[in-house]
Amino acid sequence: MPSPAFHWHALTPEEVTKEWEVDLARGLSVEQAASRRERVGPNLLPQAPRDPAWKQLLQQFINPLVLTLLAAAVIAAVVAVLEPARGHSGLSRFSDVIAIALIVVVNALLGFFQERRAAKALDALQKMAAPTAKIRRDGGVVVEPASVLVPGDVVELDTGDQIPADMRLAETADVEVEESSLTGESTSVPKSARALCSEEAPLAERSNMVYMGTSVVRGRALGLVVQTGASTELGHIGTLMATTKEEPTPLETRLAVTGRWILIGCLVVSAIIFAVGFLRAEPNVAMLLLTAVSVAVAAIPEGLPAITTITLALGMQRMAKRGALVRKLPAVETLGCSTYICSDKTGTMTQNQMTVRAVSVGGHRLEVEGEGYKPIGAFLRGGEKIDATQHGDLQLLARAVALCNSARLELKDGAYKVLGDPTEGALLTLSAKVGQARDQLLESHELVREIPFSSDRRMMTVIVRDPEGKEHAYLKGGAEKILPRCKWVRLAGERVPATEANLHAVLDDADAMAARALRVLAVARKEEVGDDPEDELELLGIVGMMDPPRPEVRDAVVVAHKAGVKVVMITGDHRLTAVAIAKELGLWGEGDVAVTGAELDDMSAQLLEERVSRVRVFARVTAEHKLRIVRALKSRGSVVAMTGDGVNDAPSIKEAQIGIAMGQGGTDVAREAADMVLADDNFATIVVAVREGRAIFRNIQKFIFFLLSSNAGLVMLVFATSMMDWASPLTPLQILWINLVTNGLPALALGVDPPEDGQMREKPRGVAEGLLDTRAYLGMVAVGAIMAAAAVYLYSLCPPHRGETPDEHLGHMIHARTMVFCVLALSPLFHTFNCRSRLNSAFRGLFSNRFLWVANLISAGIHLLTMTTVLRPVFQTTPLTPAEWGLVLGLSALPILAFEVWKLLIRSLGGVKATAVADAS
């Protein structure tokens, strides 16, 4: 068998059949097919290996913070075994161990179920492959699963068939193929078996080839299979997707860095405590271990993974209400730091619905309003609306394009859709706008004969019998084919002889339309058919059409630019068409350039990285080109959002940090590869998602600052008391309770804090930018020091007395611990209001986040439960007097008082400028 790397499009059908040793009439024999299938395998697409469930669950525990907590649980268990007489009995001795282990398991299960999503993109690719094919075998035709196809098989194709493999066409009859999902072309493509292409011809220009995953929209053909399975163009895309690795999102990277620093700090503090203990010749090694466990539990924000997950999930729900369905949680935040949106043109920036935008008729140039296939829109001449029903020449042209048409326009589920060729759908919409609907015309006109469009003729003719029994011919096609056949021209309601001057005027109009990237068709008729219905015609006019931009995209592009996000168009369409759309959308500016796929092939990776920042349009590109573009932008440190809807978009969607697919017009492949799906196919929804992503990141910063500053107080307290050779002021269980239960709900409420003004006027944050800056870390130390100082003061109020019994000593220590426990549980609740803004007073917009008030009240109430008779033995607490409660509350409010003074000082020093920055932040 020949190599699958042959340039089959550069060979004639006879040369291809000779290479594959097959007779077109008989096809392969059953034995030949079986032998080849054994060599090349079934006609199936490649699948990426998937991790089993147990491995996915195990990966949740392979995390430095989680492993540290597990080590702390083991140490706590050892201490519980070695020191059984600590006032506990039975399982209560292991309460710390159970609490730590429970937290680890819950976090692991949350992560497991969140990440337990199958990468279904390759499954969707499998579904796209045609399930059956009409195959010539041993002189007969059999219908078999497409998976049995082998190179050399002869396949019959009809209108509506999906292409089951890559094939060189051997015979064609008026064939057009829909390839937009593979090439990005917005119109169906004529195919001809007689065409020959150069070896360098890009996929979109191989007019003698058809490819797996595309479909026949017109005509019949006979195809010779040349590539199957992974060797097909669709299979190549599947291979690219299978080998494309998912990289961590910026948020995941930042959280990992933060986690490593927390771990390092935890180990350093623990090491110092151990060193000091040994220098003091501390005899109780178990207590040293228990102190180390307390430091680990105090330093690690155990609730951070769960709170981050819940915050992102809530953001996901808000986005869903706006039409953005997020499939992967970190993508909610990633959008907020995007610096580039690489958008497919067809179906994403445009409507993927051909629309007539201009008409030259009766000597008048008319602009046509309206979008898509909806038959509503005005006609303008010189900017003024005209009454289309009173324009006789326009009425005649509309009747011609309605009758010379084989498509159907129908209303389904509130939207107009076209059954058939998109170009003919645009012409049907035009005629309906004029009041010449095809269905109504067919009630009084009879179609006698049709001479179909072909790639050679480049025109279509129908013979129609009118209500009076007269036969007329109506034609449409390329201007270069129609105009030379015209003897007459329709001008100002009259038929006048075609002259060089009036035909030249029509060609000028056609050139003006082409310069706007409109596809131009000429329309003509012949009143008396005669022997040749395509000769001595009367030119009725020309129409210019295009796949128009979505009306809301231009405004969305403006907002994106203000937010510092660059928008780049990537399309399989022609350069001229793409640049015209880019200019209409406001993407194109002075100094911008457009690059084609052929030019990309001549660029090295280094050259592309140097030039990619100036390119606003990439045209005639393939799946490999799109991957190169995304990778070039990423290599420059950009955070790339890639949007698209076709099969050809899927690998680059998966490669980008944030992949976005269309929900209505998109393919299953693109949707399954994406992080986010636009349910309304609305480009403007992306900008809404960017705004939401920025708000979510800001809120994540708020609750991380809150959690870490609260933990800093716990760590400083444990460290200070160990340095003073005091007994541990809190048990590991009390620390866990503060970290998870008391602080958990307020942190979650900060995660849904309302967005601040000015976020969409800021530049995207840098990739290397950490979750928190130096000022935030200094603030954490300050808050931690205030909380720790208050706790140390309370702990010092209950020193041991001379002569007291061990039980009395234990009672004093428990009472001191209770006050410390209360102040470290309640002071973070006051601190939450500090965390809402770095410069604005906590009292500004005090009640704008009602969830924060509810969360603080619930947390305070839950903490009071530990003071009840039932839970006192578990948490080792005692009742407090009213005076002690007053002292605890006063000390708990110190962080908010200190921060108010600090913010006031900054605002006073910065004046108006600081206030403006605060508002923008």
Side-chain angles (χ1 to χ4, degrees):
M1 289 196 307
S3 167
F6 268 36
H7 297 286
W8 301 110
H9 50 278
L11 302 180
T12 65
E14 293 75 21
E15 291 172 326
V16 177
T17 54
K18 183 178 180 181
E19 287 287 345
W20 288 112
E21 301 175 354
V22 63
D23 180 2
L24 284 178
R26 293 188 55 80
L28 296 176
S29 67
V30 173
E31 292 77 15
Q32 284 178 307
S35 174
R36 294 185 182 189
R37 194 176 307 111
E38 187 175 341
R39 275 180 283 175
V40 302
N43 181 32
L44 297 174
L45 296 172
Q47 296 189 30
R50 296 174 182 171
D51 289 335
W54 65 266
K55 190 173 182 180
Q56 291 180 351
L57 181 60
L58 184 62
Q59 287 172 345
Q60 305 302 317
F61 295 94
I62 304 175
N63 176 290
L65 293 182
V66 173
L67 292 175
T68 303
L69 280 176
L70 287 174
V74 171
I75 294 171
V78 171
V79 171
V81 172
L82 295 178
E83 296 286 328
R86 288 169 48 217
H88 301 279
S89 61
L91 286 177
S92 63
R93 290 191 292 118
F94 295 92
S95 58
D96 296 338
V97 181
I98 295 172
I100 297 172
L102 186 62
I103 295 308
V104 170
V105 171
V106 169
N107 277 333
L109 290 176
L110 274 174
F112 171 74
F113 286 114
Q114 192 58 51
E115 296 178 7
R116 181 69 171 150
R117 54 181 184 347
K120 297 179 181 176
L122 297 173
D123 292 341
L125 278 169
Q126 293 282 17
K127 293 176 184 177
M128 285 194 66
T132 59
K134 296 187 283 283
I135 311 168
R136 290 186 178 180
R137 288 271 167 84
D138 287 325
V141 178
V142 295
V143 179
E144 296 279 358
S147 59
V148 307
L149 285 173
V150 295
D153 263 329
V154 180
V155 179
E156 296 182 359
L157 298 171
D158 291 306
T159 301
D161 286 350
Q162 274 194 311
I163 310 299
D166 288 1
M167 293 185 276
R168 172 58 163 93
L169 294 174
E171 298 175 7
T172 52
D174 188 26
V175 174
E176 289 191 13
V177 176
E178 173 61 56
E179 295 182 335
S180 64
S181 64
L182 192 62
T183 66
E185 287 277 9
S186 55
T187 59
S188 55
V189 182
K191 299 289 184 177
S192 173
R194 292 190 293 275
L196 274 182
C197 307
S198 67
E199 291 187 359
E200 295 77 20
L203 186 146
E205 297 177 4
R206 298 173 190 171
S207 57
N208 55 19
M209 296 285 296
V210 290
Y211 297 97
M212 176 190 280
T214 62
S215 59
V216 181
V217 297
R218 183 203 293 271
R220 297 184 304 277
L222 195 66
L224 184 66
V225 175
V226 294
Q227 290 175 339
T228 59
S231 298
T232 64
E233 292 293 332
L234 194 63
H236 182 48
I237 292 175
T239 302
L240 288 175
M241 291 180 63
T243 56
T244 300
K245 296 181 179 179
E246 289 191 35
E247 298 181 1
T249 67
L251 176 62
E252 291 170 325
T253 302
R254 291 182 176 104
L255 285 173
V257 171
T258 302
R260 284 197 294 272
W261 279 111
I262 293 173
L263 178 59
I264 291 171
C266 173
L267 294 176
V268 168
V269 174
S270 297
I272 293 173
I273 292 174
F274 257 92
V276 171
F278 276 111
L279 289 176
R280 289 175 176 168
E282 172 65 51
N284 195 336
V285 177
M287 286 306 299
L288 274 179
L289 291 173
L290 187 60
T291 303
V293 170
S294 297
V295 170
V297 174
I300 297 173
E302 292 85 1
L304 180 59
I307 294 170
T308 303
T309 297
I310 294 171
T311 299
L312 293 175
L314 292 174
M316 177 191 296
Q317 293 176 9
R318 290 194 298 274
M319 286 187 178
K321 293 178 181 178
R322 300 287 192 93
L325 308 178
V326 179
R327 299 183 61 249
K328 302 172 185 178
L329 274 184
V332 176
E333 177 276 335
T334 307
L335 263 174
C337 59
S338 298
T339 55
Y340 271 86
I341 298 177
C342 296
S343 176
D344 180 49
K345 175 184 73 69
T346 304
T348 307
M349 290 186 151
T350 65
Q351 301 179 39
N352 201 17
Q353 296 181 343
M354 292 297 290
T355 306
V356 174
R357 303 292 291 270
V359 179
S360 176
V361 59
H364 300 142
R365 295 182 179 182
L366 305 179
E367 296 296 320
V368 187
E369 293 185 334
E371 305 293 343
Y373 297 130
K374 190 175 183 179
I376 298 175
F379 291 79
L380 288 77
R381 183 171 66 201
E384 299 291 332
K385 290 185 179 180
I386 66 168
D387 186 353
T389 61
Q390 301 302 314
H391 197 297
D393 293 337
L394 180 59
Q395 289 284 324
L396 187 56
L397 179 142
R399 184 185 309 148
V401 297
L403 292 171
C404 187
N405 205 307
S406 57
R408 285 184 14 234
L409 185 67
E410 63 178 33
L411 181 62
K412 187 176 182 181
D413 298 330
Y416 285 90
K417 298 182 180 179
V418 167
L419 301 180
D421 184 77
T423 298
E424 294 199 324
L427 296 174
L428 284 182
T429 303
L430 173 71
S431 63
K433 289 177 181 178
V434 178
Q436 296 279 352
R438 175 178 167 82
D439 292 342
Q440 295 175 357
L441 289 172
L442 290 179
E443 293 176 1
S444 56
H445 293 72
E446 179 185 355
L447 295 178
V448 178
R449 184 160 63 98
E450 176 184 326
I451 306 175
F453 178 92
S454 72
S455 57
D456 297 324
R457 287 167 26 83
R458 305 295 297 174
M459 63 181 184
M460 173 184 177
T461 304
V462 294
I463 312 298
V464 178
R465 186 177 293 116
D466 67 16
E468 298 177 359
K470 296 180 180 180
E471 292 186 355
H472 309 278
Y474 294 102
L475 302 87
K476 69 173 188 289
E480 73 282 0
K481 294 290 185 180
I482 297 291
L483 263 63
R485 299 172 180 264
C486 292
K487 184 179 180 181
W488 311 92
V489 176
R490 194 79 181 175
L491 289 175
E494 295 182 358
R495 187 174 77 164
V496 300
T499 64
E500 184 177 347
N502 55 36
L503 287 179
H504 187 73
V506 174
L507 287 174
D508 285 344
D509 288 347
D511 290 342
M513 292 180 186
R516 294 166 54 189
L518 300 182
R519 181 184 181 188
V520 180
L521 288 180
V523 183
R525 73 168 179 173
K526 188 173 185 180
E527 287 195 279
E528 297 180 4
V529 176
D531 296 332
D532 187 354
E534 298 179 340
D535 193 22
E536 297 186 354
L537 305 175
E538 177 186 357
L539 181 66
L540 301 180
I542 59 174
V543 297
M545 65 188 72
M546 71 185 307
D547 179 14
R550 294 179 177 272
E552 67 279 354
V553 171
R554 185 179 181 87
D555 290 340
V557 169
V558 171
V559 175
H561 285 169
K562 287 182 179 178
V565 182
K566 295 181 180 179
V567 182
V568 177
M569 180 187 295
I570 304 180
T571 178
D573 219 333
H574 295 277
R575 189 208 306 252
L576 183 62
T577 303
V579 170
I581 294 289
K583 289 179 179 178
E584 191 167 345
L585 292 174
L587 285 180
W588 194 266
E590 186 177 351
D592 289 338
V593 296
V595 173
T596 66
E599 292 167 341
L600 277 174
D601 289 332
D602 295 333
M603 287 187 190
S604 64
Q606 182 178 355
L607 184 60
L608 177 58
E609 289 175 17
E610 293 173 358
R611 295 185 179 179
V612 70
S613 62
R614 293 192 297 112
V615 182
R616 286 296 167 268
V617 172
F618 290 94
R620 307 301 280 175
V621 295
T622 64
E624 292 99 325
H625 293 144
K626 293 184 179 185
L627 269 180
R628 286 189 64 197
I629 294 164
V630 173
R631 287 169 177 168
L633 288 170
K634 288 171 65 177
S635 70
R636 295 174 60 89
S638 301
V639 178
V640 183
M642 172 68 188
T643 76
D645 60 354
V647 177
N648 59 332
D649 298 322
S652 49
I653 284 176
K654 190 176 180 182
E655 173 71 20
Q657 286 101 329
I658 173 77
I660 308 169
M662 303 297 111
Q664 295 179 0
T667 60
D668 287 344
V669 183
R671 284 193 291 268
E672 295 300 339
D675 303 289
M676 187 176 82
V677 178
L678 301 182
D680 54 4
D681 285 11
N682 191 337
F683 185 90
T685 304
I686 299 173
V687 179
V688 174
V690 169
R691 181 183 291 110
E692 184 69 34
R694 290 190 175 189
I696 287 171
F697 181 77
R698 191 65 55 82
N699 289 347
I700 289 175
Q701 287 181 313
K702 292 175 186 178
F703 70 66
I704 287 179
F705 175 74
F706 166 70
L707 290 174
L708 293 186
S709 54
S710 301
N711 282 23
L714 294 170
V715 172
M716 289 181 184
L717 172 65
V718 174
F719 182 77
T721 53
S722 65
M723 293 299 99
M724 291 185 287
D725 200 20
W726 289 3
S728 178
L730 293 172
T731 67
L733 180 60
Q734 288 173 332
I735 295 173
L736 277 175
W737 181 265
I738 293 171
N739 274 355
L740 289 166
V741 182
T742 309
N743 291 353
L745 281 177
L748 193 56
L750 285 173
V752 294
D753 212 31
E756 297 172 84
D757 296 332
Q759 289 183 357
M760 290 302 286
R761 295 190 295 272
E762 299 175 6
K763 299 298 181 184
R765 59 188 178 276
V767 177
E769 181 183 331
L771 274 173
L772 302 172
D773 58 15
T774 303
R775 183 196 285 182
Y777 284 111
L778 291 176
M780 273 189 267
V781 173
V783 172
I786 292 171
M787 292 182 181
V792 169
Y793 170 72
L794 289 174
Y795 202 48
S796 67
L797 294 180
C798 298
H801 301 289
R802 288 184 180 180
E804 65 182 4
T805 64
D807 288 340
E808 290 173 336
H809 174 72
L810 181 61
H812 278 110
M813 186 178 69
I814 291 176
H815 194 74
R817 275 182 175 175
T818 301
M819 286 197 291
V820 170
F821 184 33
C822 288
V823 78
L824 290 179
L826 298 180
S827 57
L829 305 186
F830 287 91
H831 180 48
T832 55
F833 297 100
N834 290 330
C835 302
R836 297 189 62 200
S837 176
R838 300 177 65 177
L839 288 177
N840 288 333
S841 168
F843 300 99
R844 180 177 175 181
L846 185 62
F847 299 99
S848 59
N849 185 353
R850 64 181 186 276
F851 297 107
L852 185 59
W853 282 92
V854 173
N856 282 343
L857 290 173
I858 292 175
S859 293
I862 290 175
H863 175 71
L864 291 178
L865 291 177
T866 64
M867 310 293 289
T868 61
T869 305
V870 176
L871 294 179
R872 281 178 199 162
V874 177
F875 287 92
Q876 301 182 50
T877 58
T878 61
L880 299 181
T881 67
E884 289 171 333
W885 273 116
L887 181 60
V888 165
L889 290 174
L891 292 175
S892 297
L894 284 178
I896 197 169
L897 297 176
F899 256 66
E900 281 301 296
V901 173
W902 172 250
K903 291 179 181 179
L904 179 61
L905 180 62
I906 293 178
R907 291 197 301 271
S908 299
L909 292 175
V912 177
K913 183 178 179 180
T915 304
V917 173
D919 291 337
S921 68

